[in-house]
Amino acid sequence: MKVEAYGDEVKSFRGDAVVLFVYEEDFRPVSRLAKGLAGRVRKTLAVEPFKGKEGELLKVPTPGLSVNRVYLVGLGKREKAGEDTFRRAAAVAVRRLKSDRVKDALLVLPRRGEPGFELSKAVTEGLILGAYAFEKYKSGEKKPAPEKLLIYRGDAKGIKTGRVFAEAQNYARDLVNEPGNVINPVTLAKEAERLAKELGLECKVYDETQIKEMGMNALYAVGQGSATPPRFIHLTYKPKRRKAKEKVVLVGKGLTFDSGGLNVKPGDYMRHMKSDKSGACAVLAVLKAAAELNLPVELHGIIAAAENMPDGRAYRPDDIIKAKNGKFIEIDNTDAEGRVTMADALSYASELKPDKIIDLATLTGACIVALGEYTAGLFTNDERFGRAIKEAAKRAGERVWELPLDDERLRKKIKAPQADLLNTGGRYGGAITAAMFLQEFVGEGIPWVHLDVAGPAWSKEEYAYTPKGGTGFGVRTCLEYLRGVSS
Ligand code: BES
Ligand code: MN
Ligand code: ZN
């Protein structure tokens, strides 16, 4: 699906469809259509209940005229509209273009000057994210995406950036959607190597023996119940012909499947736990886009990949494990495995002495209980950095909400009876105690943000540009932050 800028007049466009984005009760953009088209649209508007509310779409067939159909897509009230409104509306439009098998279309945004970089980027993101479908295991005919979409007076650079961001996010979705019988720690590492080769990144993969040798007993323990051994993945991106402005480490939780282990999950909770690698997939996607855009930041992608399975060799409740940074972890529940693997990953990340660490993890069901399934929990040891990530998330249209790390009474709940740390903190404040556990492995003085994406990483329903299944949440927030560092 090509997305390009179009510099000619709307009236001279010949093709399958024109899509007009309109604010509520404001149909002035109709006058930009060629005369015959505008007349047909006005007549239709006079009899249809279309108001231009957000999510509304009106199709006007215009056979025999310069284009075959005109679509009006509602943006809702002008005062309320922001970039994400356009991202969402573009997704509504592209889904319909797809189901109507439209091949090419011209998209016209309501006048507020020309759509500049940001708006062109947002619309492009909405189009590419909205056209996404995971269909590789569906036999039979699939609906093709439109071949070519043109944005009237669009900004070419904005379109390019939007394409790279959205394609990276779609790449993360594809990986998340791959099931545990396809993506396991070993094949995930192979994918990281393949990606690195494609992009010219450094990639080092450590196998189970090396994981032990490096003192990453926590990752090793979580992986030891699986028939597929754990892998530790370290990708590095350095900008070409530019100086890096910041050194950032991204850490992604990479449980290729989480059965709970010996504390096995009940069936309905185990379903979709292939998505427990969403953080890892987001990290790979961010590196991909950063390399494609040659962003001026040094980026490290760290993934401690394991599969959490019950087995004769599985780690067990009561086990006491020495993590890479020397702290002893007592296992209360083998289903709180994410933080155990992240312990080693964050210790390793801290040894790289970065300027910033961001981690993304489908860490706790408690975070979903606290914030609902559409919002990620944000935790930080550095107010300024936390604010920067919140602002980046806003620009990306991804919901994050900060939860506190300063409750010292709550912190006591992860003290272990017979070791330094316990891997659970009890029923209440579960997202917070999990984040506090992670904090124990972040090096002193390194600004760190933890995003608990357990809710938004997976979607049960389709909504605007979010598909069912893996969402790729967090990819664009990270990219927006990195784009901000470089400007
Ligand atoms: N991967 C889960 C968290 C999760 C739950 C992600 C639902 C997405 C949807 C994590 O490993 C887990 O099992 N956490 C436990 C922790 C508990 C045992 C302290 C949880 O949240 O129930
Ligand atoms: Mn678990
Ligand atoms: Zn998990």
Side-chain angles (χ1 to χ4, degrees), residues 253 258 260 265 276 308 334-338:
K253 173 173 170 180
D258 178 14
K265 287 179 186 289
D276 216 17
N308 188 22
T334 62
D335 197 12
E337 83 299 333

Side-chain angles (χ1 to χ4, degrees), residues 253 255 257-260 265 273 276 308 335-339 362-364:
K253 173 173 170 180
L255 266 292
F257 189 74
D258 178 14
S259 70
K265 287 179 186 289
M273 275 301 144
D276 216 17
N308 188 22
D335 197 12
E337 83 299 333
R339 67 198 76 180
T362 48
L363 203 64
T364 67

Side-chain angles (χ1 to χ4, degrees), residues 367-441:
C367 196
I368 313 179
V369 174
L371 299 175
E373 64 257 65
Y374 313 114
T375 303
L378 180 149
F379 304 81
T380 188
N381 61 1
D382 185 289
E383 214 181 301
R384 267 177 59 138
F385 185 38
R387 204 177 312 125
I389 297 294
K390 282 182 230 171
E391 283 162 7
K394 234 203 184 104
R395 291 198 295 278
E398 297 190 314
R399 298 184 53 88
V400 304
W401 198 260
E402 185 168 2
L403 294 171
L405 283 176
D406 65 350
D407 187 338
E408 295 309 323
R409 282 202 288 175
L410 206 48
R411 195 177 286 275
K412 290 202 184 99
K413 312 235 174 179
I414 55 167
K415 283 196 164 181
Q418 298 181 330
D420 298 320
L421 291 163
L422 190 65
N423 84 325
T424 65
R427 240 167 93 66
Y428 303 122
I432 297 175
T433 48
M436 286 170 163
F437 183 95
L438 296 189
Q439 194 178 8
E440 295 289 330
F441 300 89

